[in-house]
Amino acid sequence: MSSTGKTATELRPFHVEIPEERLVDLRRRVAATQWPERETVADQSQGVPLGMMRDLAGYWATEYDWRRCEAKLNALQQFMTEIDGLDIHFIHVRSEHEDALPLVVNHGWPGSIIEQLKIIDRLTNPTAHGGSAADAFHVVIPSMPGYGFSGKPTGTGWGPERMARAWAELMTRLGHQRYVAQGGDWGAFVVDQMGLQAPTGLLAIHTNMPAAVPADVNDAAQAGEPPPSELSGEERRAYQQLIRTFGQVEYARYMAARPQTLYGIADSPVGLAAWLLDHNDADGQPAAAIVAALERTSSATGELTRDEVLDNITLYWLTNTGVSASRLYWEYRGGFFNAKGVSIPVAVSVFPGEQYRAPRSWAERAYPNLIYFNEVEKGGHFAAWEQPELFSQEIRAAFTSVR
């Protein structure tokens, strides 16, 4: 990994070049894993099953090719710049279309910039993907502090609020005077904060994990109480989804309480992989979309594949960011899905595999300047990764009115 010499606000070209000995060491460590015994149940209720992990590890150690992912990254314009005392890595791909709208896209945990790679050409070059020149975006994808190639904070304070200010500074530094922002997972928290801060130039935000739950509903769900009696049928469905989700976030609670204790994910590739796999979506824990991807070796439609899952896990390993990424949960003290009070224009896409499906009624209350709302037919929590074509169509439609 390399970048040129720096000044504080300079944009330094960045190139990924992992030494071969690091890859040899990774394969050696995977092959030398000390395995536990098999789970004592027939389902996944005790965690990531032994058979699933052994199959994945066998492929990772013998057939998986990181260089393919590395080449894909290096085919893109990547940069490093210092913001608020920390090196920030980002991808910046400009569209050839003159009136393209600048867009900053925020990833989440346990993701990275790997999540967004499949949407870049679809957004910057829409005429090649069924869109028109009027749909084009200039795309900026930063790595969150402590994630991927960005710097690791050495002190506290790098939560979503500070990231929101950093992304606004990044877009200004790139010369984007008018822009929009998009996020899911932790990225949704960041764009909500951008919406609250309303920096000059930010036209609107788009979220695929809306913070739309009314305060009384959120309090009841957190406490595991019966749903408030006045909820509609759609709202009651969302409430039950929230109850299920809050019962499947042990990983988040642990990272929020004791991230430094996770030495095992810094020392064992398989330990790291299992930790990153054991998050939830609407259809299960481990996330059903990820489990399905582990059986998919290729996809003509852009659906998530085994290699793409391993690209993301391998990036965490090679950058040793398992623990540094986990600290974001410790930093954040706000609610997860509760309305935050954003008043700038907001677009919402609801994917069926999300942790909860926000009803339009809640979205309209949470975001009084709602400019777009749509329920998508398929896709889930990591929508850009799982369904890049549908996700890109949503982004085009979401921001049409602010161009």
Side-chain angles (χ1 to χ4, degrees), residues 218-232:
N218 187 69
D219 290 345
Q222 289 274 17
E225 297 174 354
S229 59
E230 71 276 9
L231 298 185
S232 69

PDB file of all heavy atoms in Angstrom, residues 218-232:
ATOM      1  N   ASN A 218     -39.984   3.205  19.331  1.00  0.00           N
ATOM      2  CA  ASN A 218     -38.604   2.770  19.552  1.00  0.00           C
ATOM      3  C   ASN A 218     -38.387   2.345  21.000  1.00  0.00           C
ATOM      4  O   ASN A 218     -37.768   1.308  21.280  1.00  0.00           O
ATOM      5  CB  ASN A 218     -37.646   3.903  19.189  1.00  0.00           C
ATOM      6  CG  ASN A 218     -36.194   3.477  19.237  1.00  0.00           C
ATOM      7  OD1 ASN A 218     -35.732   2.695  18.420  1.00  0.00           O
ATOM      8  ND2 ASN A 218     -35.462   3.997  20.213  1.00  0.00           N
ATOM      9  N   ASP A 219     -38.925   3.124  21.948  1.00  0.00           N
ATOM     10  CA  ASP A 219     -38.763   2.794  23.373  1.00  0.00           C
ATOM     11  C   ASP A 219     -39.430   1.462  23.691  1.00  0.00           C
ATOM     12  O   ASP A 219     -38.872   0.628  24.425  1.00  0.00           O
ATOM     13  CB  ASP A 219     -39.365   3.907  24.239  1.00  0.00           C
ATOM     14  CG  ASP A 219     -38.556   5.197  24.186  1.00  0.00           C
ATOM     15  OD1 ASP A 219     -37.396   5.155  23.718  1.00  0.00           O
ATOM     16  OD2 ASP A 219     -39.092   6.245  24.589  1.00  0.00           O
ATOM     17  N   ALA A 220     -40.622   1.250  23.150  1.00  0.00           N
ATOM     18  CA  ALA A 220     -41.341   0.004  23.414  1.00  0.00           C
ATOM     19  C   ALA A 220     -40.598  -1.197  22.823  1.00  0.00           C
ATOM     20  O   ALA A 220     -40.475  -2.247  23.459  1.00  0.00           O
ATOM     21  CB  ALA A 220     -42.761   0.089  22.846  1.00  0.00           C
ATOM     22  N   ALA A 221     -40.060  -1.046  21.609  1.00  0.00           N
ATOM     23  CA  ALA A 221     -39.343  -2.144  20.971  1.00  0.00           C
ATOM     24  C   ALA A 221     -38.060  -2.474  21.712  1.00  0.00           C
ATOM     25  O   ALA A 221     -37.710  -3.647  21.890  1.00  0.00           O
ATOM     26  CB  ALA A 221     -39.045  -1.797  19.513  1.00  0.00           C
ATOM     27  N   GLN A 222     -37.351  -1.446  22.159  1.00  0.00           N
ATOM     28  CA  GLN A 222     -36.119  -1.669  22.909  1.00  0.00           C
ATOM     29  C   GLN A 222     -36.396  -2.437  24.198  1.00  0.00           C
ATOM     30  O   GLN A 222     -35.586  -3.270  24.629  1.00  0.00           O
ATOM     31  CB  GLN A 222     -35.454  -0.329  23.249  1.00  0.00           C
ATOM     32  CG  GLN A 222     -34.853   0.389  22.058  1.00  0.00           C
ATOM     33  CD  GLN A 222     -33.439  -0.056  21.739  1.00  0.00           C
ATOM     34  OE1 GLN A 222     -32.982  -1.103  22.182  1.00  0.00           O
ATOM     35  NE2 GLN A 222     -32.734   0.729  20.951  1.00  0.00           N
ATOM     36  N   ALA A 223     -37.550  -2.178  24.788  1.00  0.00           N
ATOM     37  CA  ALA A 223     -37.920  -2.841  26.035  1.00  0.00           C
ATOM     38  C   ALA A 223     -38.591  -4.190  25.804  1.00  0.00           C
ATOM     39  O   ALA A 223     -38.880  -4.920  26.759  1.00  0.00           O
ATOM     40  CB  ALA A 223     -38.849  -1.939  26.851  1.00  0.00           C
ATOM     41  N   GLY A 224     -38.858  -4.542  24.542  1.00  0.00           N
ATOM     42  CA  GLY A 224     -39.507  -5.809  24.237  1.00  0.00           C
ATOM     43  C   GLY A 224     -40.974  -5.841  24.610  1.00  0.00           C
ATOM     44  O   GLY A 224     -41.537  -6.921  24.848  1.00  0.00           O
ATOM     45  N   GLU A 225     -41.620  -4.688  24.642  1.00  0.00           N
ATOM     46  CA  GLU A 225     -43.023  -4.609  25.043  1.00  0.00           C
ATOM     47  C   GLU A 225     -43.956  -4.905  23.861  1.00  0.00           C
ATOM     48  O   GLU A 225     -43.519  -4.877  22.698  1.00  0.00           O
ATOM     49  CB  GLU A 225     -43.310  -3.210  25.585  1.00  0.00           C
ATOM     50  CG  GLU A 225     -42.508  -2.863  26.845  1.00  0.00           C
ATOM     51  CD  GLU A 225     -42.706  -1.417  27.269  1.00  0.00           C
ATOM     52  OE1 GLU A 225     -43.376  -0.671  26.521  1.00  0.00           O
ATOM     53  OE2 GLU A 225     -42.187  -1.049  28.332  1.00  0.00           O
ATOM     54  N   PRO A 226     -45.236  -5.162  24.131  1.00  0.00           N
ATOM     55  CA  PRO A 226     -46.195  -5.323  23.040  1.00  0.00           C
ATOM     56  C   PRO A 226     -46.271  -4.038  22.222  1.00  0.00           C
ATOM     57  O   PRO A 226     -46.004  -2.944  22.729  1.00  0.00           O
ATOM     58  CB  PRO A 226     -47.523  -5.603  23.764  1.00  0.00           C
ATOM     59  CG  PRO A 226     -47.114  -6.119  25.102  1.00  0.00           C
ATOM     60  CD  PRO A 226     -45.844  -5.406  25.459  1.00  0.00           C
ATOM     61  N   PRO A 227     -46.649  -4.121  20.951  1.00  0.00           N
ATOM     62  CA  PRO A 227     -46.710  -2.922  20.112  1.00  0.00           C
ATOM     63  C   PRO A 227     -47.781  -1.956  20.592  1.00  0.00           C
ATOM     64  O   PRO A 227     -48.832  -2.384  21.093  1.00  0.00           O
ATOM     65  CB  PRO A 227     -47.040  -3.479  18.726  1.00  0.00           C
ATOM     66  CG  PRO A 227     -47.684  -4.795  18.985  1.00  0.00           C
ATOM     67  CD  PRO A 227     -47.022  -5.331  20.213  1.00  0.00           C
ATOM     68  N   PRO A 228     -47.538  -0.653  20.468  1.00  0.00           N
ATOM     69  CA  PRO A 228     -48.586   0.317  20.799  1.00  0.00           C
ATOM     70  C   PRO A 228     -49.862   0.023  20.027  1.00  0.00           C
ATOM     71  O   PRO A 228     -49.829  -0.360  18.852  1.00  0.00           O
ATOM     72  CB  PRO A 228     -47.959   1.658  20.383  1.00  0.00           C
ATOM     73  CG  PRO A 228     -46.475   1.433  20.496  1.00  0.00           C
ATOM     74  CD  PRO A 228     -46.277   0.005  20.078  1.00  0.00           C
ATOM     75  N   SER A 229     -50.991   0.202  20.656  1.00  0.00           N
ATOM     76  CA  SER A 229     -52.279  -0.229  20.098  1.00  0.00           C
ATOM     77  C   SER A 229     -52.683   0.543  18.849  1.00  0.00           C
ATOM     78  O   SER A 229     -53.449   0.039  18.030  1.00  0.00           O
ATOM     79  CB  SER A 229     -53.374  -0.095  21.151  1.00  0.00           C
ATOM     80  OG  SER A 229     -53.459   1.259  21.595  1.00  0.00           O
ATOM     81  N   GLU A 230     -52.175   1.767  18.682  1.00  0.00           N
ATOM     82  CA  GLU A 230     -52.631   2.594  17.570  1.00  0.00           C
ATOM     83  C   GLU A 230     -51.911   2.309  16.253  1.00  0.00           C
ATOM     84  O   GLU A 230     -52.209   2.913  15.225  1.00  0.00           O
ATOM     85  CB  GLU A 230     -52.450   4.080  17.917  1.00  0.00           C
ATOM     86  CG  GLU A 230     -51.002   4.575  17.951  1.00  0.00           C
ATOM     87  CD  GLU A 230     -50.306   4.310  19.279  1.00  0.00           C
ATOM     88  OE1 GLU A 230     -50.888   3.590  20.126  1.00  0.00           O
ATOM     89  OE2 GLU A 230     -49.195   4.857  19.471  1.00  0.00           O
ATOM     90  N   LEU A 231     -50.996   1.370  16.227  1.00  0.00           N
ATOM     91  CA  LEU A 231     -50.229   1.097  15.019  1.00  0.00           C
ATOM     92  C   LEU A 231     -51.102   0.455  13.936  1.00  0.00           C
ATOM     93  O   LEU A 231     -51.956  -0.374  14.228  1.00  0.00           O
ATOM     94  CB  LEU A 231     -49.046   0.174  15.313  1.00  0.00           C
ATOM     95  CG  LEU A 231     -47.971   0.677  16.279  1.00  0.00           C
ATOM     96  CD1 LEU A 231     -46.818  -0.322  16.346  1.00  0.00           C
ATOM     97  CD2 LEU A 231     -47.459   2.059  15.884  1.00  0.00           C
ATOM     98  N   SER A 232     -50.835   0.837  12.683  1.00  0.00           N
ATOM     99  CA  SER A 232     -51.512   0.208  11.549  1.00  0.00           C
ATOM    100  C   SER A 232     -50.929  -1.185  11.335  1.00  0.00           C
ATOM    101  O   SER A 232     -49.929  -1.565  11.960  1.00  0.00           O
ATOM    102  CB  SER A 232     -51.311   1.051  10.291  1.00  0.00           C
ATOM    103  OG  SER A 232     -49.940   0.997   9.884  1.00  0.00           O
TER     104      SER A 232
END
